[in-house]
Amino acid sequence: TYCSSTPLAAWTANNVAPAIRRATALAFYTMMANTGAIFSTWLYGALSSAPRYRTATATLVAFQVGVLACAVCVRIYLARENRRKVRERLQAGSMGAYKGHAGEMSNENIWFEYVM
């Protein structure tokens, strides 16, 4: 679990722009990861009986299935968004290169592509 935290934080940072949203997304990600750690401590300590921990195991398996379903949904959503942005770029074909402001672009910009 702990080895996946850093790559997921990097993926989160690469898919959110501008900087204020990126900071908020990383803070939310850290909050959710720490909440999960606290919940699992309670789950294995007080809410499930030793030595089999059936309630804890069933709960964590259910959460893993939920995480997998969310990951598939996010993958589908980001692929659709990238395809939509490609279509919009093709429709705006005469614009040429990105003609936005000098600062960092938002993830709603048609030139921003999500990393899969």
Side-chain angles (χ1 to χ4, degrees):
T1 301
Y2 292 109
C3 66
S4 65
S5 180
T6 303
L8 284 173
W11 180 83
T12 301
N14 283 332
N15 282 304
V16 180
I20 189 77
R21 285 187 187 172
R22 185 174 295 130
T24 304
L26 288 172
F28 184 74
Y29 169 75
T30 303
M31 179 191 69
M32 294 306 293
N34 289 334
T35 302
I38 292 168
F39 177 67
S40 66
T41 301
W42 277 95
L43 192 59
Y44 277 102
L47 302 177
S48 189
S49 60
R52 296 198 186 263
Y53 299 108
R54 288 185 181 171
T55 305
T57 302
T59 303
L60 293 179
V61 167
F63 273 109
Q64 286 299 322
V65 169
V67 166
L68 182 62
C70 288
V72 168
C73 290
V74 166
R75 173 76 166 100
I76 291 169
Y77 172 75
L78 293 181
R80 283 184 183 168
E81 284 296 304
N82 279 343
R83 284 193 302 271
R84 180 187 62 82
K85 289 179 181 193
V86 166
R87 282 193 308 272
E88 288 182 14
R89 284 194 301 262
L90 290 174
Q91 288 175 352
S94 62
M95 282 179 46
Y98 169 66
K99 294 183 179 179
H101 56 82
E104 185 178 17
M105 73 172 98
S106 169
N107 58 331
E108 282 116 11
N109 191 301
I110 63 172
W111 298 100
F112 183 91
E113 289 190 26
Y114 292 105
V115 179
M116 300 291 189

